[in-house]
Amino acid sequence: MIMRIDKLLCEMNIGSRSQVKTLIKKGLVSVNGSKVTKADMQVNGEGDLISCEGKEYQYRPYVYYMMNKPAGIITATKDIRERTVWDLFCEQLAEKNNGDLKGIPMRDIFPVGRLDKDTVGLLVLTNDGDMAHQLLAPGSHVPKKYYVKTDRPLDRAGERLLREGVDIGEKTLTRPAGLTYAGEEEGYYLTITEGKFHQVKRMFQAAGVQVVYLKRVSMGGLMLDECLREGQIRELTKEEVCALCSKK
């Protein structure tokens, strides 16, 4: 990927365009061991070795993070009243890197899809718009699995509705869902391949029960890391990024 060195450094969160130009003028930026003298120098972001103020950086056009979203946080990047997953993400990232976010692409990162304020579990954050579209497009039918606790057990008719398709007030019934028991009363795993507003809660309500706890445990082939406590984040591995887009 060929681009101007000042643009690359800005995307890597080294500083603003003016701050980056100042670093270059001071001779603090080098590419493959040679000092950069011009801000418009063309570099290969994927192959060249970039150094700034003596520290080496690896350019990454896209980043992918897993968050175990806690309750009480809204899935948004900005809100004047509520605490958002973006607020939590930035705090976690700063904590993991001792407050130094240089070299970590931060621009245009957003949550893929939405979890309700009281819903917990797997949330992916990325700046890869193409992947997000692939995951969220209605025709993609990427499976999302949830652990659901209800106020009382489903009856046979309710179970059948969820598995075959239920009327939640949309133009069509929901797509057939996968429903299994979680090994306890009022506990279920539900797998859906859609993403309608409050869909899981509305499906169970239409089946005659109320959801009292909801946790997303997987999306595509990506499973929530059981070692990740609520509120924590970590980057996805290359294998997990690939699994995310699978329909298994």
Side-chain angles (χ1 to χ4, degrees), residues 66-95:
M66 171 191 299
M67 173 184 286
N68 187 352
K69 178 192 171 297
I73 306 292
I74 66 169
T75 307
T77 56
K78 183 186 297 185
D79 192 273
I80 60 174
R81 294 180 299 273
E82 302 278 3
R83 185 164 156 79
T84 70
V85 294
W86 176 252
D87 297 328
L88 180 58
F89 174 78
C90 292
E91 292 167 7
Q92 280 288 302
L93 210 54
E95 182 179 324

Coordinates of all heavy atoms in Angstrom, one line a residue, residues 66-95:
M66 N -12.1 -7.6 20.0 CA -13.3 -8.2 20.6 C -13.5 -7.5 22.0 O -12.5 -7.3 22.7 CB -13.0 -9.7 20.9 CG -14.0 -10.5 21.8 SD -13.4 -12.1 22.3 CE -13.2 -12.9 20.7
M67 N -14.7 -7.2 22.3 CA -15.1 -6.7 23.6 C -16.1 -7.6 24.2 O -17.0 -8.1 23.5 CB -15.7 -5.3 23.5 CG -16.2 -4.7 24.8 SD -17.1 -3.1 24.6 CE -15.6 -2.0 24.4
N68 N -16.0 -7.9 25.5 CA -17.0 -8.5 26.3 C -17.8 -7.4 26.9 O -17.5 -6.9 28.0 CB -16.4 -9.4 27.4 CG -17.5 -10.2 28.1 OD1 -18.7 -10.1 27.9 ND2 -17.1 -11.2 28.9
K69 N -18.9 -7.0 26.2 CA -19.6 -5.8 26.6 C -20.4 -6.0 27.9 O -21.1 -7.0 28.1 CB -20.6 -5.4 25.5 CG -21.5 -4.2 25.8 CD -22.7 -4.1 24.9 CE -23.7 -3.1 25.3 NZ -24.3 -3.4 26.6
P70 N -20.2 -5.1 28.8 CA -21.0 -5.2 30.1 C -22.4 -4.6 29.9 O -22.6 -3.8 29.0 CB -20.1 -4.4 31.1 CG -19.5 -3.4 30.2 CD -19.3 -4.0 28.9
A71 N -23.2 -4.8 30.9 CA -24.5 -4.1 30.9 C -24.4 -2.7 31.3 O -23.4 -2.3 31.9 CB -25.5 -4.8 31.9
G72 N -25.3 -1.8 30.9 CA -25.3 -0.4 31.3 C -24.5 0.5 30.3 O -24.4 1.7 30.5
I73 N -23.9 -0.1 29.2 CA -23.2 0.6 28.2 C -23.9 0.6 26.9 O -24.4 -0.5 26.5 CB -21.8 0.0 28.1 CG1 -21.0 -0.1 29.4 CG2 -21.0 0.8 27.0 CD1 -20.7 1.2 30.0
I74 N -24.1 1.7 26.2 CA -24.8 1.7 25.0 C -23.8 1.4 23.8 O -22.7 1.8 23.9 CB -25.6 3.0 24.7 CG1 -24.7 4.2 24.6 CG2 -26.6 3.2 25.9 CD1 -25.5 5.4 24.1
T75 N -24.3 0.8 22.8 CA -23.5 0.5 21.6 C -23.5 1.6 20.7 O -24.4 1.8 19.8 CB -24.0 -0.8 20.9 OG1 -24.1 -1.9 21.9 CG2 -23.0 -1.2 19.8
A76 N -22.6 2.6 20.9 CA -22.5 3.8 20.1 C -21.1 4.3 20.2 O -20.3 3.9 21.1 CB -23.5 4.8 20.5
T77 N -20.7 5.2 19.3 CA -19.4 5.9 19.4 C -19.5 7.2 20.1 O -18.4 7.8 20.5 CB -18.8 6.0 18.1 OG1 -19.7 6.8 17.2 CG2 -18.5 4.7 17.4
K78 N -20.7 7.8 20.3 CA -20.8 9.1 20.9 C -22.3 9.2 21.4 O -23.2 8.8 20.8 CB -20.6 10.2 19.9 CG -20.7 11.6 20.4 CD -20.6 12.6 19.3 CE -19.2 12.6 18.6 NZ -19.1 13.7 17.6
D79 N -22.3 9.8 22.7 CA -23.6 10.1 23.2 C -23.4 11.1 24.3 O -22.5 11.0 25.1 CB -24.3 8.8 23.8 CG -25.7 9.0 24.2 OD1 -26.0 9.5 25.3 OD2 -26.6 8.7 23.4
I80 N -24.3 12.1 24.4 CA -24.1 13.2 25.3 C -24.5 12.9 26.7 O -24.2 13.5 27.7 CB -24.9 14.5 24.8 CG1 -26.4 14.2 24.7 CG2 -24.3 15.0 23.5 CD1 -27.2 15.5 24.4
R81 N -25.3 11.8 26.9 CA -25.8 11.4 28.2 C -25.3 10.1 28.7 O -25.0 9.9 29.9 CB -27.3 11.4 28.2 CG -28.0 12.7 28.0 CD -29.5 12.6 28.0 NE -30.0 11.7 26.9 CZ -30.2 12.2 25.7 NH1 -30.1 13.4 25.4 NH2 -30.7 11.3 24.8
E82 N -25.2 9.1 27.8 CA -24.9 7.7 28.2 C -23.4 7.4 28.0 O -22.7 8.0 27.1 CB -25.7 6.8 27.4 CG -27.2 7.0 27.6 CD -27.8 6.3 28.8 OE1 -27.0 5.8 29.6 OE2 -29.0 6.3 29.0
R83 N -22.9 6.5 28.8 CA -21.6 5.9 28.6 C -21.6 4.9 27.4 O -22.5 4.1 27.3 CB -21.1 5.2 29.8 CG -19.7 4.7 29.9 CD -19.3 4.4 31.3 NE -18.3 3.4 31.5 CZ -17.0 3.7 31.3 NH1 -16.6 4.9 31.0 NH2 -16.1 2.7 31.4
T84 N -20.7 5.0 26.5 CA -20.7 4.2 25.3 C -19.6 3.2 25.2 O -18.6 3.2 26.0 CB -20.5 5.1 24.0 OG1 -19.2 5.6 24.0 CG2 -21.5 6.3 24.0
V85 N -19.7 2.2 24.3 CA -18.7 1.2 24.1 C -17.4 1.8 23.6 O -16.3 1.3 23.9 CB -19.2 0.1 23.2 CG1 -20.3 -0.7 23.8 CG2 -19.5 0.6 21.8
W86 N -17.5 3.0 22.9 CA -16.3 3.7 22.5 C -15.6 4.3 23.7 O -14.3 4.2 23.7 CB -16.7 4.8 21.5 CG -15.5 5.6 21.1 CD1 -15.2 6.9 21.4 CD2 -14.4 5.2 20.2 NE1 -14.1 7.3 20.8 CE2 -13.5 6.3 20.1 CE3 -14.1 4.0 19.6 CZ2 -12.4 6.2 19.3 CZ3 -13.0 3.9 18.8 CH2 -12.1 5.0 18.7
D87 N -16.3 4.8 24.6 CA -15.6 5.3 25.8 C -14.9 4.2 26.5 O -13.7 4.4 26.9 CB -16.7 5.9 26.8 CG -17.4 7.1 26.3 OD1 -16.8 7.9 25.5 OD2 -18.6 7.3 26.6
L88 N -15.5 3.1 26.7 CA -14.9 1.9 27.4 C -13.8 1.4 26.6 O -12.7 1.1 27.1 CB -16.0 0.8 27.5 CG -15.5 -0.5 28.2 CD1 -15.0 -0.2 29.6 CD2 -16.7 -1.5 28.3
F89 N -13.9 1.3 25.2 CA -12.8 0.8 24.4 C -11.6 1.7 24.5 O -10.5 1.2 24.7 CB -13.3 0.9 22.9 CG -12.3 0.5 21.9 CD1 -11.9 -0.8 21.7 CD2 -11.6 1.5 21.2 CE1 -10.9 -1.1 20.7 CE2 -10.7 1.2 20.2 CZ -10.3 -0.1 20.0
C90 N -11.7 3.0 24.5 CA -10.6 3.9 24.6 C -9.9 3.8 26.0 O -8.7 3.8 26.1 CB -11.0 5.4 24.4 SG -11.5 5.7 22.7
E91 N -10.7 3.6 27.0 CA -10.2 3.5 28.4 C -9.4 2.2 28.5 O -8.2 2.1 29.0 CB -11.3 3.5 29.4 CG -12.0 4.8 29.6 CD -13.2 4.7 30.3 OE1 -13.5 3.6 30.9 OE2 -14.0 5.7 30.4
Q92 N -9.9 1.1 27.9 CA -9.2 -0.2 28.0 C -7.9 -0.2 27.1 O -6.9 -0.7 27.6 CB -10.2 -1.3 27.4 CG -11.2 -1.8 28.4 CD -10.5 -2.6 29.5 OE1 -9.9 -3.6 29.3 NE2 -10.7 -2.2 30.8
L93 N -8.0 0.4 26.0 CA -6.8 0.5 25.1 C -5.7 1.3 25.8 O -4.5 0.9 25.7 CB -7.2 1.1 23.8 CG -6.4 0.7 22.6 CD1 -6.4 -0.8 22.4 CD2 -7.0 1.4 21.3
A94 N -6.1 2.4 26.4 CA -5.1 3.2 27.1 C -4.5 2.5 28.3 O -3.3 2.6 28.5 CB -5.7 4.5 27.6
E95 N -5.3 1.7 29.0 CA -4.8 1.0 30.1 C -3.8 -0.1 29.7 O -2.8 -0.3 30.3 CB -6.0 0.3 30.9 CG -5.6 -0.5 32.1 CD -6.8 -1.0 32.8 OE1 -7.9 -0.4 32.9 OE2 -6.7 -2.1 33.4

